[in-house]
Every structure is written in structure tokens, then in C-alpha cells.
Amino acid sequence: MKALKKILTSKSGELLTRLKIVAAILMPVAIFVILSGCSESPKAGSPEADAADGQVLAKKYCVSCHRFPAPELIDRDSWIKRVLPAMGRQLGVHVYMDQYFCDERSALGTAEWLKIVAYYKSIAPISLPIPKPVVAPLKDWAIFSLERPKKINASVPAMTTMISFNPNDKKIYTADAASNLYKWDSQLNSTLIHHFDSPVTGLNYFTENDTNTGIITCIGTMAPLNLFKGKVSLFNLNGRTKNAKPVLITDSLPRPVQTVAADFNKDGLMDYVVCGFGHDHGALYLLLQQPDRSFKKMVVSSIAGGEQLITGDFNNDGWPDVMCLFAQADEGIRMFLNDHKGGFITHTLLRFPPVYGSSSFQLVDFNHDGKPDILYTCGDNSDFSKVMKPYHGVYIFTNLGNWKFKQTYFYHINGCTKAIADDFDHNGNLDIAVIAFFPDLKYHPEEGFTYLKQAGPNKFTPHELPVNDYGRWLTMEVADIDQDGYDDVILGNFSTAGRGLINQTGFTPKWNTHEPIIVLKNISGKKRK
């Protein structure tokens, strides 16, 4: 600019020459300004402009049902071919022969939807990076030994849908996809208790007049359909009786998976809360018992995907509350505080993107500060994006007070299904038992079961037990089945040999397809002696 100033203030008479020189200096500056402006404002209708508009539209429409799903969460192929078409249907957008069109109920036009597709297509990665463990897992049996059933029916496939330990009779109860309920003794001998109308997915217990009673939740249909065929019943578990029949509490539920009991309105009668997982439609229900022993069914939440329930007095007001993990679309953990009027006030504690595949949670005080922390897993990989994901695994969310949480631990496990914290070795620290129904079956099947031994605050040493040849673990329970003072781990085998629930190609299952359960016997007590 000093050169420019000198030319303009020169007293020489060659004005034309000076002007030409000025133009030569200013021209590159003008060109730079023009080009800079073009790069900041993509031309309307260009792929860049469509993607930019699509980001705005996605954040407007996609959050109407759930937390915003960032493009980086799934690979590009899954977005384009499966996830976006499924999301579009919720907004009245359909695809036919690779062409999108909107119906009369759609809140947006086809051109807008195509911009959303352009946004995800331009940002989503071709593949997802899978993290490697910071600490290599140990390949051993840790503090466990293997126990297997003494007798099995080799003609019946192992399709265990539920495992539960009854603290009243100290027996293991399991259910299968054939709608059978079994009781197991400590020697792993089984007895058929009852054949229900549909598979049992939940079982709670209580005793009344010396009767060993189970609260039975039957899903109605295993298939992901919008059918209301589920039931909740009471059943005498004392033994198999020829004429034994369930006592119906309620029916017409959307694929219920668990029921919990408490006197929610404090009238002296037992009430129930049941989560109807559903499919596109589901709900959380309160079943208030009436004086005539009938039940009044009320909707607590109309969110689909209710998967796991916990009861407790969470605000210390003397009234029972409920906490629920939702695992479909609007994934998250919500607390329902009793309003003392036969209803609940909803508080969202944690919310996750709709592709996480939330699978379990537990309230447990890891740091011994008197405030319950949250142990959470995600890894359901049976929907529209069946690739392995870097965020699948085990999480600890530490309670900061007033039910506010901060993530303090994560351990990656592909297809993680459930985690249970327990002081297995009685050293005062909580360890974690973890199963994964969708592990890397082809290259890392050992992550099907992992024992995380606590080595310090938010530090765990992983042990991968060699049990992958004995089954494929969908369910898990922790209990002291032999009453030696040390908790054992019971694993339920859902051994699908078909391709329906196997996401990887070039893989042939080799696991046992007939043993419904195995037990990991805790031998740490013997080691102490």
C-alpha cells in the first residue's frame, strides 16, 4: 500500500500510466474478494448448497421424535439404503424404485427431504473407525469356573429369552422362545413349570400365604410388529400342576418386556408398572389395583422402546417412583416421580441418539459417595444399521448430585447387551460382568462375555472368558446359586443358527445350539481360603 500511495501522490504528468499501474495493483485484490465471496455462498441448487440446507432441515425435523442423529454416527451406505428411508416413513416420506415422494400428511416436501439426504450423504463416513482397547484384555477364566447342565434335550434349540433368580426359593427360572418356563436347581437340573401363550420376557416374585408367586410378563410376539398381544399375569411357581393357570392382571399390551410392583398410590393394594416396548408404537403403563381386584390401566408415557424398569423412592418423599430405559427412537433414561395423585412427573436423566441401541442400565454407587451412579450399555445391532459401532459398550455415568450425571468411564464392546455390577471377589470394589449378543463374531468372538475387574476409580482390567463356543448370550443374571456367599453369573443362550441375527458375512456359527444356560461359578472364595 505504500507503493500505491506514492503513485497517487506523484506530481509527474504521466497520469494515464499511473492509472494503469493502479489498476494492475487493485485487480488481484478485487478478484480475491469476488472469489472469497463465492466460496462462502455456494450457488443455489449446487450439491454444496443442498447439503447446507439439508443440515438446517435435519435439525428442524429429525429432532421432532428424538435426539439429533449426527451423520458421523453411521456409515454412508447404512444411511442412504436403510436408515434414512426408515426415518422418512415417520415423516410421511416414502421411497419407491429409489425415488422419494411425500404423502399428504408429510410436514415437508420432496425437495426438502432430498436436501436432508444430500446432507447425510456428504458428511457420513464410508466406514466407522472401531477403537482398539487401551489395555489388552486378558484371556483367562479370572475368578470363575464353568458349570454346564447335566441333561439337555438335543432336539430342542436353545432360545433363552429370560433368566431370573428367585430369592424366595433360591431357584433359577428361565424362559424360551417356545413359550416355556423352566425351574433349575443348584445342580442345573431343569423342570418344566408351564407353557404360556407367548414367550416370557420378565419375571418378578413375591410370597403370599406361603405361595411362591411369580409376576409373569409375556411379550405376545417376538417379531418387531405393532401388535397388542402382550399380557401380565400372576402364576403359582410352587410346582408344575396339570390344571395350573395364570391369573390375568392385564392384556392387550404392545410387546411388554418387564413389570415391576409397588403400592404406587399407597392404598394398601399392590400396583404394577409395565413397559410395552412395542415397535413404532409402545407405552409405559401404570396398572392401579382396584378394591375388586381388577386393574385400571393408565398411560404413564407414550414413548416406545421401554426396555428396563427400576423402582425406588428416588426423591426421598416416602412414595415409590419408577425409572425406565427407553431403547427405541427417543433413547434415554427417564425418571418418573410419584405425584401422590395416581400419576408421575417425568424427568429425563440421560438422552442418547436413536442409533445407539440402548440395551441395559443399573443404579449402583461405584464411588461409595451415597449417590447412585448409572451403569449403562448400548449395542443392540438388529435394526437398520448393522455395522459395528465405536460407541457400543459399557458406560459409567457418575452422579454429581441432584440426579445430574457425567460420563466418567467407557469400554468399547461390539454389540454390548447387558452389564451387571457386583463385588464378585469381596474386596470392597464393584466389578462388572458384561455380555454382548452382537460381538465381532468373525474376528473377536471372545468379547461375547467380559469380566471387568475394578483396579481403581473408573479403571477396570478386562478379562475375556473363553465361553463363546458354549452359546450366544442374550440374557444374564447374577446370583449366589449355591449359597456359598459369592455371587455367580448365569448366561442364557439364544443360539440362532440362521442368518437373521448374524450381521457379518463369511462366518459360520460354531457355538452350542442346545444348552439353554451355563453358569460361571465364582471360585474367589476358594482362592481366599
Side-chain angles (χ1 to χ4, degrees):
M1 296 306 294
K2 288 182 179 179
L4 176 60
K5 183 178 181 181
K6 183 177 181 180
I7 292 172
L8 291 175
T9 57
S10 173
K11 296 180 181 179
S12 171
E14 298 177 358
L15 180 60
L16 181 60
T17 301
R18 294 175 189 153
L19 290 174
K20 290 181 178 179
I21 295 173
V22 171
I25 294 173
L26 291 177
M27 185 62 70
V29 177
I31 293 173
F32 174 78
V33 172
I34 294 171
L35 292 178
S36 298
C38 289
S39 64
E40 292 178 359
S41 303
K43 185 178 180 181
S46 66
E48 294 81 5
D50 286 348
D53 292 343
Q55 181 179 16
V56 176
L57 292 166
K59 291 184 176 180
K60 175 182 177 181
Y61 290 108
C62 295
V63 297
S64 62
C65 299
H66 45 66
R67 182 174 163 180
F68 175 71
E72 297 84 357
L73 290 174
I74 308 179
D75 65 292
R76 185 182 304 169
D77 193 61
S78 294
W79 274 120
I80 302 304
K81 293 182 179 179
R82 290 174 290 277
V83 179
L84 284 172
M87 289 173 58
R89 286 194 293 272
Q90 305 303 316
L91 297 171
V93 181
H94 308 274
V95 60
Y96 178 71
M97 296 183 68
D98 296 328
Q99 298 296 317
Y100 283 104
F101 65 93
C102 299
D103 62 26
E104 64 280 357
R105 67 181 180 89
S106 178
L108 73 170
T110 304
E112 289 182 304
W113 178 253
L114 290 176
K115 289 181 178 181
I116 293 177
V117 173
Y119 164 60
Y120 281 94
K121 186 175 182 180
S122 65
I123 302 296
I126 295 176
S127 61
L128 299 179
I130 303 300
K132 294 182 179 180
V134 177
V135 178
L138 300 174
K139 311 287 186 179
D140 59 17
W141 287 93
I143 59 170
F144 300 98
S145 64
L146 177 66
E147 292 190 2
R148 302 166 67 183
K150 302 299 184 293
K151 296 180 181 180
I152 60 171
N153 188 342
S155 64
V156 178
M159 303 280 276
T160 303
T161 58
M162 188 275 310
I163 299 179
S164 181
F165 182 78
N166 187 342
N168 299 323
D169 64 9
K170 306 296 188 289
K171 305 294 184 184
I172 302 168
Y173 288 81
T174 68
D176 62 21
S179 307
N180 297 313
L181 179 67
Y182 296 91
K183 177 164 60 177
W184 302 72
D185 62 22
S186 59
Q187 301 302 311
L188 300 188
N189 298 304
S190 66
T191 302
L192 176 64
I193 298 298
H194 190 71
H195 178 80
F196 288 86
D197 293 338
S198 68
V200 176
T201 51
L203 177 55
N204 287 23
Y205 310 93
F206 70 91
T207 56
E208 187 176 39
N209 299 324
D210 295 325
T211 300
N212 181 22
T213 302
I215 307 165
I216 308 290
T217 306
C218 290
I219 194 169
T221 176
M222 294 281 288
L225 301 170
N226 291 312
L227 297 177
F228 289 70
K229 294 184 176 182
K231 299 178 181 179
V232 177
S233 307
L234 299 180
F235 189 78
N236 187 339
L237 299 171
N238 282 338
R240 189 181 182 192
T241 346
K242 183 177 181 181
N243 298 320
K245 292 182 179 180
V247 178
L248 183 67
I249 295 176
T250 191
D251 57 9
S252 303
L253 297 171
R255 301 178 71 224
V257 292
Q258 187 189 2
T259 304
V260 292
D263 183 3
F264 288 105
N265 58 358
K266 300 184 77 170
D267 65 351
L269 300 174
M270 187 64 71
D271 310 307
Y272 304 94
V273 169
V274 55
C275 49
F277 189 94
H279 181 46
D280 295 321
H281 307 289
L284 187 68
Y285 298 93
L286 170 64
L287 309 176
L288 284 177
Q289 187 168 177
Q290 306 301 298
D292 63 355
R293 298 291 177 144
S294 65
F295 287 85
K296 179 181 179 181
K297 182 163 59 177
M298 304 167 59
V299 175
V300 177
S301 171
S302 58
I303 300 175
E307 183 171 43
Q308 186 181 347
L309 295 167
I310 295 176
T311 56
D313 183 6
F314 301 133
N315 57 356
N316 299 314
D317 66 350
W319 291 70
D321 310 305
V322 177
M323 199 174 292
C324 184
L325 171 66
F326 292 87
Q328 186 89 331
D330 195 3
E331 299 188 26
I333 298 173
R334 292 172 176 83
M335 180 169 62
F336 300 90
L337 296 179
N338 199 318
D339 67 1
H340 310 177
K341 301 175 184 178
F344 297 91
I345 301 171
T346 305
H347 297 269
T348 299
L349 303 183
L350 295 172
R351 203 175 182 211
F352 308 105
V355 297
Y356 260 45
S358 298
S359 50
S360 78
F361 85 113
Q362 182 184 6
L363 286 181
V364 60
D365 186 4
F366 275 100
N367 55 7
H368 308 292
D369 66 352
K371 298 187 293 290
D373 309 306
I374 290 179
L375 176 65
Y376 162 82
T377 64
C378 60
D380 182 5
N381 222 10
S382 61
D383 288 326
F384 300 106
S385 58
K386 299 183 179 182
V387 298
M388 286 179 282
K389 302 176 174 69
Y391 42 84
H392 278 178
V394 181
Y395 295 75
I396 294 176
F397 293 93
T398 298
N399 193 333
L400 304 178
N402 198 29
W403 295 100
K404 303 296 182 183
F405 295 88
K406 176 183 178 181
Q407 180 186 324
T408 55
Y409 178 76
F410 171 71
Y411 181 74
H412 173 70
I413 297 179
N414 291 300
C416 192
T417 303
K418 188 174 185 178
I420 300 177
D422 191 282
D423 185 6
F424 287 101
D425 54 5
H426 291 200
N427 68 350
N429 295 320
L430 290 171
D431 312 306
I432 307 174
V434 192
I435 56 172
F437 188 68
F438 291 101
D440 184 350
L441 295 170
K442 193 172 182 180
Y443 299 109
H444 193 184
E446 299 85 2
E447 64 182 350
F449 178 83
T450 304
Y451 169 61
L452 296 172
K453 176 175 173 52
Q454 187 172 165
N458 293 308
K459 294 181 180 179
F460 295 84
T461 302
H463 297 255
E464 293 181 345
L465 276 63
V467 295
N468 47 289
D469 286 342
Y470 299 102
R472 188 180 182 191
W473 317 119
L474 179 65
T475 51
M476 174 175 63
E477 176 71 295
V478 168
D480 183 8
I481 64 174
D482 57 0
Q483 303 300 296
D484 68 348
Y486 289 81
D487 284 340
D488 312 300
V489 179
I490 311 115
L491 302 181
N493 182 11
F494 196 90
S495 61
T496 54
R499 299 302 311 176
L501 292 174
I502 297 177
N503 299 334
Q504 295 168 277
T505 59
F507 167 77
T508 301
K510 297 180 180 179
W511 54 68
N512 188 299
T513 59
H514 299 291
E515 288 186 353
I517 65 170
I518 64 169
V519 171
L520 300 178
K521 179 72 176 67
N522 188 338
I523 59 174
S524 58
K526 294 182 180 179
K527 288 185 177 182
R528 282 174 177 263
K529 295 178 182 179

